[in-house]
Amino acid sequence: MSENQELKRHCLLVPVEGVLLKEHVANNYKAVSAFCPDPSDLLIATYPKAGTTWILEIVDLLLHNGDSETCKRAPIPVRIPFLENTTRLAIPSGLDLLKAMDPPRVIKTHLPFHLIPKGFWENKCKVIYVARNAKDNMVSYFYFHKMNLTHPEPGPLGVFIQKFMNGQVNAVPAVPWGSWYDHVKGYWEEREKRNILYLFYEDMKENPRREVERIMRYLDLSLSDDVISRIVELTSFKIMKENPMTNYTFLSKPLFDHSLSPFMRKGEVGDWKNHFTPEQAAEFDEDYEKKMKHVNIPFRTQL
Ligand code: PPS
């Protein structure tokens, strides 16, 4: 994509400990890394577009006994601060929001494992990680780059696939928050030692009730069957797409342009098949095998 278009969007990517972050996020990183959570705080970590908003809404409802009105008290990034975010145009920064909230707080982050503030591990905070298969994650990130005007222009899909595969290599165009491959591996390798609940988007699609119950148990909650059923219903794609507190219509231009692609776009497993050519899929798979050969994370690209 031309430099002009990137400049028009005012989005530069700046490396922090080997990971490309949006400039304003990188500039804020020192303050973020010094953030000290309370042991009762819950961290929800994801690579962008892995199903973050879905899991945040599930957790907020679980913590409020399925009360939909309470969970409409504010847009999702106000209820659940985005740790490293600094966009002040519409929503205060994550750190400012956190300062104004009493623990226990739920906190969202896209930071890879090694950039998480050490206080989360020192204080043994609970951490939920959600991972989504690389191809669907990439397609979703591609559309998000189109509509999120604070991200670099994605360019055509073929170019974006290369950026996604490049991950955090600084010398070539890549994507914010670094390599998907390193991200999913980083949390996977630490999940047992750190008591991280590692979830998959595909499992949530396959059997949302089973996954909601899994999260409930991890949070040491015990809710009635009726409440669980309500939470599953309230966090369906259809309801969240219509819910103004979760569909990000509370952010509009100059941040999000929903006419280019809605935030709640398709919510499916296997949409990548509508986007990759057979040649692109073969190249992607070959590269994937190399990058993921030392781990066996059970990703599914279709149900
Ligand atoms: S962000 O910007 O990183 O916080 O985005 P994130 O929420 O991680 O990812 C957005 C994608 O998740 C889909 N989504 C859902 N899918 C199924 N069910 C529910 N309830 C749901 N909520 C969000 C959303 O549609 C985006 O995926 P795509 O494939 O682009 O539709």
Tab-separated table of all heavy atoms in Angstrom, residues 66-100:
chain	number	residue	atom	x	y	z
A	66	GLY	N	-26.056	-13.309	34.410
A	66	GLY	CA	-26.865	-13.294	33.185
A	66	GLY	C	-27.791	-12.104	33.063
A	66	GLY	O	-28.739	-12.124	32.273
A	67	ASP	N	-27.524	-11.046	33.832
A	67	ASP	CA	-28.415	-9.873	33.819
A	67	ASP	C	-28.098	-8.982	32.598
A	67	ASP	O	-27.134	-8.224	32.598
A	67	ASP	CB	-28.213	-9.092	35.127
A	67	ASP	CG	-29.121	-7.872	35.205
A	67	ASP	OD1	-29.705	-7.494	34.171
A	67	ASP	OD2	-29.230	-7.296	36.295
A	68	SER	N	-28.967	-9.073	31.604
A	68	SER	CA	-28.680	-8.372	30.338
A	68	SER	C	-28.698	-6.860	30.501
A	68	SER	O	-27.953	-6.146	29.837
A	68	SER	CB	-29.672	-8.791	29.252
A	68	SER	OG	-30.973	-8.473	29.656
A	69	GLU	N	-29.551	-6.363	31.392
A	69	GLU	CA	-29.615	-4.900	31.557
A	69	GLU	C	-28.316	-4.359	32.158
A	69	GLU	O	-27.765	-3.362	31.705
A	69	GLU	CB	-30.820	-4.507	32.431
A	69	GLU	CG	-32.153	-4.645	31.717
A	69	GLU	CD	-32.119	-4.087	30.285
A	69	GLU	OE1	-31.757	-2.906	30.119
A	69	GLU	OE2	-32.443	-4.829	29.335
A	70	THR	N	-27.799	-5.047	33.183
A	70	THR	CA	-26.529	-4.606	33.782
A	70	THR	C	-25.433	-4.616	32.724
A	70	THR	O	-24.579	-3.726	32.686
A	70	THR	CB	-26.142	-5.535	34.961
A	70	THR	OG1	-27.220	-5.535	35.863
A	70	THR	CG2	-24.888	-5.055	35.668
A	71	CYS	N	-25.494	-5.609	31.864
A	71	CYS	CA	-24.434	-5.729	30.853
A	71	CYS	C	-24.636	-4.772	29.686
A	71	CYS	O	-23.822	-4.733	28.761
A	71	CYS	CB	-24.315	-7.177	30.393
A	71	CYS	SG	-23.727	-8.195	31.765
A	72	LYS	N	-25.710	-3.995	29.753
A	72	LYS	CA	-25.868	-2.920	28.757
A	72	LYS	C	-25.517	-1.569	29.381
A	72	LYS	O	-25.840	-0.512	28.839
A	72	LYS	CB	-27.298	-2.907	28.222
A	72	LYS	CG	-27.543	-4.047	27.247
A	72	LYS	CD	-28.890	-3.909	26.549
A	72	LYS	CE	-29.063	-5.074	25.592
A	72	LYS	NZ	-30.432	-5.556	25.524
A	73	ARG	N	-24.855	-1.607	30.568
A	73	ARG	CA	-24.578	-0.353	31.275
A	73	ARG	C	-23.642	0.550	30.506
A	73	ARG	O	-23.618	1.762	30.705
A	73	ARG	CB	-24.034	-0.627	32.686
A	73	ARG	CG	-22.671	-1.295	32.714
A	73	ARG	CD	-22.348	-1.860	34.097
A	73	ARG	NE	-21.045	-2.508	34.161
A	73	ARG	CZ	-20.792	-3.735	33.697
A	73	ARG	NH1	-21.757	-4.439	33.132
A	73	ARG	NH2	-19.576	-4.243	33.807
A	74	ALA	N	-22.845	-0.020	29.607
A	74	ALA	CA	-21.865	0.778	28.848
A	74	ALA	C	-21.352	-0.077	27.688
A	74	ALA	O	-21.467	-1.309	27.726
A	74	ALA	CB	-20.701	1.179	29.755
A	75	PRO	N	-20.751	0.570	26.683
A	75	PRO	CA	-20.125	-0.206	25.607
A	75	PRO	C	-19.038	-1.122	26.161
A	75	PRO	O	-18.410	-0.814	27.187
A	75	PRO	CB	-19.508	0.864	24.698
A	75	PRO	CG	-20.230	2.119	25.023
A	75	PRO	CD	-20.648	2.018	26.468
A	76	ILE	N	-18.801	-2.210	25.463
A	76	ILE	CA	-17.900	-3.236	26.007
A	76	ILE	C	-16.509	-2.701	26.379
A	76	ILE	O	-15.984	-3.064	27.429
A	76	ILE	CB	-17.860	-4.480	25.093
A	76	ILE	CG1	-17.339	-5.688	25.859
A	76	ILE	CG2	-17.056	-4.297	23.830
A	76	ILE	CD1	-18.306	-6.788	25.998
A	77	PRO	N	-15.881	-1.799	25.607
A	77	PRO	CA	-14.532	-1.359	26.030
A	77	PRO	C	-14.540	-0.420	27.234
A	77	PRO	O	-13.479	-0.143	27.797
A	77	PRO	CB	-13.970	-0.648	24.798
A	77	PRO	CG	-15.096	-0.436	23.882
A	77	PRO	CD	-16.257	-1.277	24.299
A	78	VAL	N	-15.734	0.046	27.628
A	78	VAL	CA	-15.821	0.847	28.862
A	78	VAL	C	-16.026	-0.094	30.053
A	78	VAL	O	-15.422	0.077	31.113
A	78	VAL	CB	-16.966	1.879	28.765
A	78	VAL	CG1	-17.137	2.627	30.087
A	78	VAL	CG2	-16.712	2.851	27.615
A	79	ARG	N	-16.836	-1.122	29.835
A	79	ARG	CA	-17.033	-2.116	30.912
A	79	ARG	C	-15.754	-2.885	31.172
A	79	ARG	O	-15.425	-3.205	32.302
A	79	ARG	CB	-18.128	-3.128	30.485
A	79	ARG	CG	-19.521	-2.605	30.616
A	79	ARG	CD	-20.510	-3.681	30.206
A	79	ARG	NE	-20.777	-3.703	28.782
A	79	ARG	CZ	-21.106	-4.795	28.087
A	79	ARG	NH1	-21.182	-5.966	28.688
A	79	ARG	NH2	-21.352	-4.729	26.801
A	80	ILE	N	-15.046	-3.216	30.076
A	80	ILE	CA	-13.863	-4.063	30.183
A	80	ILE	C	-12.704	-3.348	29.488
A	80	ILE	O	-12.576	-3.403	28.258
A	80	ILE	CB	-14.128	-5.449	29.555
A	80	ILE	CG1	-15.306	-6.108	30.303
A	80	ILE	CG2	-12.872	-6.313	29.582
A	80	ILE	CD1	-15.705	-7.473	29.828
A	81	PRO	N	-11.888	-2.613	30.248
A	81	PRO	CA	-10.850	-1.785	29.624
A	81	PRO	C	-9.854	-2.589	28.791
A	81	PRO	O	-9.499	-3.723	29.145
A	81	PRO	CB	-10.159	-1.130	30.824
A	81	PRO	CG	-11.145	-1.215	31.940
A	81	PRO	CD	-11.954	-2.454	31.701
A	82	PHE	N	-9.424	-1.963	27.730
A	82	PHE	CA	-8.444	-2.533	26.802
A	82	PHE	C	-7.085	-1.994	27.254
A	82	PHE	O	-6.752	-0.834	27.018
A	82	PHE	CB	-8.829	-2.068	25.395
A	82	PHE	CG	-7.980	-2.577	24.266
A	82	PHE	CD1	-6.962	-3.503	24.462
A	82	PHE	CD2	-8.227	-2.125	22.974
A	82	PHE	CE1	-6.198	-3.955	23.395
A	82	PHE	CE2	-7.468	-2.569	21.904
A	82	PHE	CZ	-6.451	-3.479	22.117
A	83	LEU	N	-6.325	-2.845	27.947
A	83	LEU	CA	-5.131	-2.446	28.696
A	83	LEU	C	-4.227	-1.463	27.960
A	83	LEU	O	-3.903	-0.393	28.465
A	83	LEU	CB	-4.340	-3.709	29.069
A	83	LEU	CG	-3.043	-3.520	29.841
A	83	LEU	CD1	-3.301	-2.883	31.205
A	83	LEU	CD2	-2.342	-4.875	30.034
A	84	GLU	N	-3.793	-1.829	26.766
A	84	GLU	CA	-2.771	-1.024	26.088
A	84	GLU	C	-3.353	0.060	25.196
A	84	GLU	O	-2.615	0.799	24.552
A	84	GLU	CB	-1.832	-1.937	25.279
A	84	GLU	CG	-2.464	-2.708	24.136
A	84	GLU	CD	-2.957	-4.109	24.539
A	84	GLU	OE1	-3.298	-4.289	25.721
A	84	GLU	OE2	-3.027	-4.990	23.672
A	85	ASN	N	-4.666	0.163	25.162
A	85	ASN	CA	-5.270	1.112	24.222
A	85	ASN	C	-5.149	2.549	24.716
A	85	ASN	O	-5.324	2.826	25.896
A	85	ASN	CB	-6.750	0.772	24.014
A	85	ASN	CG	-7.292	1.434	22.773
A	85	ASN	OD1	-6.601	1.506	21.760
A	85	ASN	ND2	-8.507	1.910	22.854
A	86	THR	N	-4.883	3.445	23.797
A	86	THR	CA	-4.719	4.843	24.199
A	86	THR	C	-5.642	5.771	23.430
A	86	THR	O	-5.567	6.972	23.590
A	86	THR	CB	-3.289	5.336	23.929
A	86	THR	OG1	-3.065	5.224	22.526
A	86	THR	CG2	-2.264	4.541	24.690
A	87	THR	N	-6.498	5.205	22.568
A	87	THR	CA	-7.352	6.069	21.752
A	87	THR	C	-8.272	6.868	22.656
A	87	THR	O	-9.113	6.295	23.333
A	87	THR	CB	-8.199	5.210	20.784
A	87	THR	OG1	-7.321	4.291	20.170
A	87	THR	CG2	-8.871	6.061	19.741
A	88	ARG	N	-8.079	8.155	22.657
A	88	ARG	CA	-8.868	8.956	23.592
A	88	ARG	C	-10.019	9.685	22.904
A	88	ARG	O	-10.769	10.396	23.536
A	88	ARG	CB	-7.962	9.973	24.285
A	88	ARG	CG	-6.961	9.307	25.201
A	88	ARG	CD	-6.348	10.303	26.146
A	88	ARG	NE	-5.497	9.610	27.094
A	88	ARG	CZ	-4.224	9.325	26.870
A	88	ARG	NH1	-3.660	9.687	25.736
A	88	ARG	NH2	-3.516	8.692	27.772
A	89	LEU	N	-10.147	9.489	21.582
A	89	LEU	CA	-11.164	10.242	20.856
A	89	LEU	C	-12.568	9.919	21.354
A	89	LEU	O	-13.400	10.788	21.511
A	89	LEU	CB	-11.092	9.908	19.363
A	89	LEU	CG	-9.929	10.555	18.615
A	89	LEU	CD1	-9.883	10.038	17.192
A	89	LEU	CD2	-10.086	12.065	18.634
A	90	ALA	N	-12.814	8.640	21.584
A	90	ALA	CA	-14.166	8.249	21.950
A	90	ALA	C	-14.221	7.631	23.337
A	90	ALA	O	-15.198	7.785	24.050
A	90	ALA	CB	-14.696	7.245	20.928
A	91	ILE	N	-13.154	6.958	23.702
A	91	ILE	CA	-13.146	6.191	24.954
A	91	ILE	C	-11.839	6.492	25.669
A	91	ILE	O	-10.782	6.552	25.027
A	91	ILE	CB	-13.246	4.689	24.620
A	91	ILE	CG1	-14.638	4.395	24.055
A	91	ILE	CG2	-12.958	3.807	25.823
A	91	ILE	CD1	-14.806	3.006	23.550
A	92	PRO	N	-11.872	6.685	26.988
A	92	PRO	CA	-10.608	6.931	27.703
A	92	PRO	C	-9.640	5.759	27.512
A	92	PRO	O	-10.059	4.649	27.172
A	92	PRO	CB	-11.043	7.041	29.166
A	92	PRO	CG	-12.505	7.302	29.133
A	92	PRO	CD	-13.039	6.685	27.873
A	93	SER	N	-8.374	6.012	27.769
A	93	SER	CA	-7.383	4.950	27.593
A	93	SER	C	-7.655	3.817	28.593
A	93	SER	O	-8.307	4.018	29.630
A	93	SER	CB	-5.980	5.500	27.824
A	93	SER	OG	-5.752	5.639	29.206
A	94	GLY	N	-7.112	2.642	28.288
A	94	GLY	CA	-7.291	1.499	29.178
A	94	GLY	C	-6.797	1.800	30.582
A	94	GLY	O	-7.473	1.496	31.572
A	95	LEU	N	-5.622	2.405	30.683
A	95	LEU	CA	-5.053	2.672	32.016
A	95	LEU	C	-5.905	3.683	32.777
A	95	LEU	O	-6.106	3.546	33.992
A	95	LEU	CB	-3.613	3.172	31.880
A	95	LEU	CG	-2.580	2.133	31.428
A	95	LEU	CD1	-1.201	2.768	31.302
A	95	LEU	CD2	-2.525	0.927	32.369
A	96	ASP	N	-6.430	4.689	32.087
A	96	ASP	CA	-7.291	5.674	32.769
A	96	ASP	C	-8.577	5.015	33.269
A	96	ASP	O	-9.033	5.279	34.389
A	96	ASP	CB	-7.634	6.833	31.828
A	96	ASP	CG	-6.445	7.775	31.650
A	96	ASP	OD1	-5.482	7.671	32.438
A	96	ASP	OD2	-6.471	8.597	30.715
A	97	LEU	N	-9.154	4.171	32.434
A	97	LEU	CA	-10.378	3.479	32.861
A	97	LEU	C	-10.099	2.602	34.080
A	97	LEU	O	-10.874	2.565	35.042
A	97	LEU	CB	-10.917	2.610	31.724
A	97	LEU	CG	-11.670	3.331	30.614
A	97	LEU	CD1	-11.855	2.419	29.410
A	97	LEU	CD2	-13.033	3.810	31.110
A	98	LEU	N	-8.967	1.899	34.033
A	98	LEU	CA	-8.639	0.981	35.137
A	98	LEU	C	-8.432	1.735	36.444
A	98	LEU	O	-8.833	1.263	37.512
A	98	LEU	CB	-7.411	0.148	34.779
A	98	LEU	CG	-7.701	-0.948	33.753
A	98	LEU	CD1	-6.415	-1.512	33.167
A	98	LEU	CD2	-8.519	-2.066	34.396
A	99	LYS	N	-7.811	2.914	36.330
A	99	LYS	CA	-7.573	3.718	37.538
A	99	LYS	C	-8.881	4.074	38.233
A	99	LYS	O	-8.948	4.181	39.452
A	99	LYS	CB	-6.867	5.021	37.130
A	99	LYS	CG	-5.383	5.026	37.453
A	99	LYS	CD	-4.772	6.366	37.119
A	99	LYS	CE	-3.668	6.157	36.102
A	99	LYS	NZ	-3.406	7.309	35.252
A	100	ALA	N	-9.920	4.244	37.410
A	100	ALA	CA	-11.204	4.679	37.976
A	100	ALA	C	-12.078	3.502	38.440
A	100	ALA	O	-13.187	3.715	38.912
A	100	ALA	CB	-11.952	5.499	36.922
